Amino acid sequence: MGCGSSSSSGTDQSINKVKTKEVLGNHNSITAVNRSQTVKSTKVKTSNNDKTRTTSSDKVKPSAKSNDFKLDLDEFKDIDEHARQTPKSVENSINELANYLAKPAKSELETIRAFYVWICNNISYNATAYFGGESAAREPIDVLKSKSSVCEGYARLFEALCLAKDIKCQKISGFSKGYGHQLGTILSYQTKTDHAWNVVFVLGKWRFIETTWGAGSLDDQKTFVKKFSNFYFLTKPEHFIEDHFPYINNDAEGSKEWQLLKRPVSLEEFSKTLKTTKFAREWGVIFPSHKHEVVKVDRKASIPIESKQNTLVSVKVNLYNSNTELCNNSVVLVKDNGSKCTITIMPKEIGKYTLKVYGTIDQSQTGMPKLTEYMIDCTSTEDEFMPYPEHNRFYGPSNDCNIRGFANYDSIPAFQICKNGEFEMKIKTNRTVKVSAQIYETDGSRSSDFIMIEQLDDSVCVKARFINKGYYKLTIFSELEGNDKYSEAMNILVLNKVGSKFSTPFPKTYSSTKEYKCHLIEPLVRNIPSNSNVRFVMSSPMIEQILIDGKVYRKENNETWDVTVKTGDSGEVKVSAKTDINSKTSTSIYLFVVDSE
């Protein structure tokens, strides 16, 4: 969330030019500063009873981006618990609170951590002041007493705690991409700044502290939701610049160094650059080809997603038009491999859309956090719009296909083209895998009648029939080891170029059809002509005899039957089988329907 109360005058302290020398060592080491220094007085009101005191704070020029230091959050368990258990009796003044929080700290780093944890857990965001234009506590002592403020108060309180323990810290004002940020907005230096945060000097370098966003966020009902976040504690500069742009004392050039980047960005570039959420930044999710938040679409656009640091086990997308109506028949998400997937957008109409991308690295997580949001500016459309089936998750194999027994799942294209309505896909397996499948059309209807599955010891063959031209979703279900319930194993997006010449389903099959590893060559349609000679060709390594309407047929050669049968006026033709010729019973494997004239 931004704070409209921050002014563009920026921090109360100027940036002072001081040469620094980093001293390597443990966390208890103190940074040596070669001071050709300028010292600025800072007025800090520490309690209602204290007079305003003046402290001297050496201002260190922010160094260029250097190698990042690693934080082990587990090392903060004791100091975090100490901060959370702070008694009310020490919250009467800034000095008293700072002394209590810093007492068990083994280093400045732990002291800074204690300040961050206490503020994020004890100060609530004043949503009423933010939305209603009312006054909110801003002086550190007033924020301490009221336990509520906006970003200015959060930043001032953190700065005051640091100054109380002689830790170099500054409040920074600037622009943010927080609550209420409008995609496509280009900021200028005439725009009023809307947010405040801190920089703190620790372990020989400046790093960002954002207690306002570390404490929680505003929801869609404009209510503050308290939720502690570690992400905004000493955030990496390359992550922080995605939604924070410093602008101090109306000094655009001088403010650049507080980006803490080797190559600072301009305000225009900041405005245009895509903002990913803290989850995307923590997990290493990037959008390499579309780095601006507005995407121009001429008929169609493809936006790849990469995740090299963590595997996204699930991703989903939602596309909304300018009336906030869901348009997911114009967007599809295809998995390229374990770490990459591609969003394809093909709007039905010209106009502006909002694309929201969600994802998670945890299969057990309920709900998926947002990764980013784009504005889609569509200037032209395809001559023939073909909607996608309703499916806002990614197409491709699930991440547990290996434990399901599929061998070559990584090589199965998530998007496939069918030229004539007759589709076949062979999947290799490590063992006998029980599967089922369904076809989903763009109107949401589904069918298993136009699917036929044939099973072998080391593979599964899925045959599908598409009656019409267009996109289809083919979903393969299978059992997981230890669970006899079928669940989604993979989703395949199929573009069918020409509808099948057959408008009827496949023959009806049974569990024994797959169990006996039956392979039907013809007829591949359920409805067969009446009063006609119909040829039946099939094979099975397990069957000894087949029966067609009760008449027994033996194998012609090896495992194949090639039988011609004269059909009647109407009714059904049932094909059954025996795996033991001495058995008195047979098992159904196919059922056909005779079309009456």
Side-chain angles (χ1 to χ4, degrees):
M1 73 203 80
C3 290
S5 59
S6 293
S7 67
S8 59
S9 60
T11 60
D12 296 329
Q13 305 167 36
S14 62
I15 304 173
N16 300 280
K17 309 300 183 180
V18 179
K19 297 178 181 178
T20 66
K21 179 181 178 182
E22 295 185 5
V23 177
L24 301 178
N26 60 36
H27 287 182
N28 294 321
S29 299
I30 299 174
T31 302
V33 181
N34 179 15
R35 294 180 176 86
S36 56
Q37 64 193 41
T38 303
V39 178
K40 174 89 174 175
S41 294
T42 304
K43 293 183 178 180
V44 181
K45 188 178 179 184
T46 56
S47 75
N48 286 331
N49 296 323
D50 293 346
K51 294 180 179 179
T52 300
R53 71 180 178 87
T54 300
T55 63
S56 292
S57 176
D58 295 336
K59 293 305 158 195
V60 184
K61 179 179 178 180
S63 61
K65 178 184 169 184
S66 57
N67 292 334
D68 187 34
F69 53 77
K70 301 293 183 181
L71 290 178
D72 184 354
L73 296 177
D74 288 337
E75 293 182 359
F76 295 129
K77 284 182 178 179
D78 291 342
I79 198 69
D80 285 1
E81 187 61 23
H82 172 72
R84 292 191 185 100
Q85 298 301 323
T86 301
K88 301 295 182 185
S89 59
V90 301
E91 297 175 355
N92 297 313
S93 73
I94 299 297
N95 285 341
E96 191 177 8
L97 177 61
N99 288 334
Y100 172 83
L101 292 173
K103 187 174 182 179
K106 301 172 185 177
S107 64
E108 275 194 350
L109 176 62
E110 286 198 353
T111 299
I112 292 166
R113 175 68 180 187
F115 295 164
Y116 179 83
V117 171
W118 187 89
I119 291 175
C120 291
N121 281 280
N122 289 276
I123 307 301
S124 294
Y125 191 80
N126 192 332
T128 302
Y130 176 68
F131 290 108
E134 299 176 11
S135 177
R138 287 171 173 77
E139 288 294 336
I141 188 59
D142 296 332
V143 176
L144 179 61
K145 295 298 183 183
S146 67
K147 298 293 192 297
S148 175
S149 189
V150 289
C151 58
E152 183 80 11
Y154 277 89
R156 286 188 183 185
L157 176 57
F158 183 83
E159 182 185 35
L161 288 170
C162 287
L163 290 175
K165 302 308 294 182
D166 293 323
I167 296 172
K168 296 179 180 66
C169 175
Q170 288 199 86
K171 178 178 72 69
I172 302 290
S173 293
F175 302 101
S176 70
K177 292 184 178 181
Y179 188 92
H181 169 65
Q182 297 294 319
L183 295 173
T185 300
I186 303 299
L187 298 167
S188 73
Y189 290 116
Q190 284 68 51
T191 308
K192 188 178 181 181
T193 58
D194 66 350
H195 198 41
W197 56 92
N198 297 101
V199 288
V200 64
F201 194 72
V202 60
L203 298 179
K205 62 189 71 177
W206 289 97
R207 187 50 68 85
F208 296 107
I209 291 285
E210 167 62 281
T211 51
T212 312
W213 293 5
S217 60
L218 293 170
D219 63 15
D220 292 337
Q221 285 71 48
K222 300 182 179 181
T223 301
F224 175 68
V225 179
K226 183 177 282 294
K227 187 174 183 181
F228 178 82
S229 172
N230 283 307
F231 181 76
Y232 297 105
F233 177 70
L234 306 182
T235 314
K236 296 177 182 179
E238 60 269 31
H239 287 170
F240 207 72
I241 193 61
E242 287 198 25
D243 42 25
H244 294 74
F245 187 91
Y247 183 46
I248 307 160
N249 296 329
N250 297 315
D251 182 4
E253 192 62 32
S255 298
K256 286 182 179 179
E257 59 189 0
W258 289 112
Q259 296 179 25
L260 307 183
L261 296 169
K262 280 186 178 180
R263 297 179 180 85
V265 303
S266 67
L267 182 57
E268 181 181 7
E269 185 62 19
F270 169 78
S271 300
K272 293 179 178 179
T273 299
L274 178 70
K275 173 202 169 182
T276 58
T277 64
K278 64 181 181 181
F279 302 102
R281 283 174 269 177
E282 284 178 323
W283 300 337
V285 179
I286 61 172
F287 299 79
S289 66
H290 291 73
K291 297 181 179 181
H292 288 174
E293 61 186 26
V294 178
V295 176
K296 297 285 186 180
V297 175
D298 179 11
R299 297 172 181 260
K300 182 190 292 187
S302 294
I303 303 175
I305 309 173
E306 293 184 14
S307 178
K308 296 179 180 179
Q309 186 175 321
N310 293 278
T311 299
L312 289 170
V313 297
S314 190
V315 185
K316 74 174 185 179
V317 292
N318 283 329
L319 184 69
Y320 300 90
N321 63 16
S322 57
N323 296 321
T324 67
E325 297 168 331
L326 198 60
C327 303
N328 279 358
N329 63 353
S330 295
V331 63
V332 70
L333 179 65
V334 173
K335 189 175 183 180
D336 301 322
N337 57 42
S339 62
K340 297 180 181 179
C341 53
T342 300
I343 305 167
T344 300
I345 306 148
M346 188 176 59
K348 182 179 180 180
E349 298 173 343
I350 292 171
K352 287 183 170 57
Y353 298 80
T354 300
L355 175 68
K356 297 183 179 182
V357 185
Y358 304 82
T360 183
I361 60 173
D362 183 1
Q363 192 73 59
S364 63
Q365 185 175 10
T366 56
M368 277 187 271
K370 187 163 66 174
L371 301 177
T372 197
E373 193 170 316
Y374 280 100
M375 175 189 286
I376 305 299
D377 186 3
C378 179
T379 57
S380 65
T381 60
E382 294 281 6
D383 295 334
E384 180 184 10
F385 174 72
M386 287 192 292
Y388 295 114
E390 179 63 34
H391 183 70
N392 65 350
R393 308 295 177 94
F394 64 68
Y395 284 93
S398 64
N399 292 286
D400 57 7
C401 270
N402 58 329
I403 62 175
R404 292 175 181 269
F406 296 106
N408 69 329
Y409 62 94
D410 275 341
S411 62
I412 298 172
F415 171 61
Q416 301 190 35
I417 293 176
C418 178
K419 295 181 179 180
N420 58 4
E422 296 295 310
F423 179 80
E424 184 173 311
M425 181 174 68
K426 190 173 184 179
I427 310 170
K428 291 183 179 180
T429 60
N430 296 318
R431 61 176 188 272
T432 300
V433 179
K434 295 181 179 179
V435 302
S436 65
Q438 284 190 336
I439 292 173
Y440 295 82
E441 298 194 45
T442 55
D443 62 0
S445 61
R446 60 183 181 178
S447 173
S448 57
D449 289 341
F450 289 85
I451 292 278
M452 187 167 72
I453 297 173
E454 298 183 334
Q455 190 128 24
L456 295 175
D457 289 331
D458 62 351
S459 67
V460 172
C461 182
V462 179
K463 296 180 179 180
R465 178 165 294 143
F466 305 119
I467 304 304
N468 301 308
K469 175 183 176 182
Y471 287 99
Y472 290 82
K473 179 175 76 168
L474 172 62
T475 302
I476 311 296
F477 303 88
S478 75
E479 293 180 344
L480 274 170
E481 279 189 315
N483 189 340
D484 58 0
K485 292 183 179 180
Y486 283 67
S487 57
E488 285 188 12
M490 62 185 73
N491 286 286
I492 307 298
L493 178 66
V494 181
L495 173 58
N496 183 46
K497 294 292 190 71
V498 179
S500 174
K501 64 180 180 180
F502 303 113
S503 59
T504 63
F506 287 103
K508 182 178 179 180
T509 59
Y510 302 83
S511 59
S512 54
T513 313
K514 290 180 279 189
E515 181 184 346
Y516 295 163
K517 301 175 177 57
C518 297
H519 172 50
L520 182 64
I521 300 171
E522 63 173 295
L524 291 175
V525 291
R526 184 175 302 182
N527 296 70
I528 54 179
S530 60
N531 301 310
S532 301
N533 291 322
V534 178
R535 187 184 180 194
F536 292 82
V537 183
M538 63 162 288
S539 65
S540 167
M542 300 178 66
I543 296 173
E544 293 295 328
Q545 290 181 346
I546 65 168
L547 295 84
I548 302 178
D549 277 351
K551 185 176 180 179
V552 176
Y553 295 91
R554 295 181 180 275
K555 294 179 183 179
E556 290 295 326
N557 58 61
N558 298 326
E559 302 170 358
T560 303
W561 286 264
D562 189 340
V563 178
T564 299
V565 175
K566 180 69 179 287
T567 59
D569 293 334
S570 61
E572 298 176 338
V573 174
K574 182 179 291 185
V575 180
S576 55
K578 290 183 179 182
T579 56
D580 181 357
I581 58 175
N582 296 317
S583 175
K584 295 182 179 180
T585 59
S586 61
T587 305
S588 298
I589 54 175
Y590 295 109
L591 181 68
F592 299 86
V593 175
V594 177
D595 279 337
S596 58
E597 295 181 353

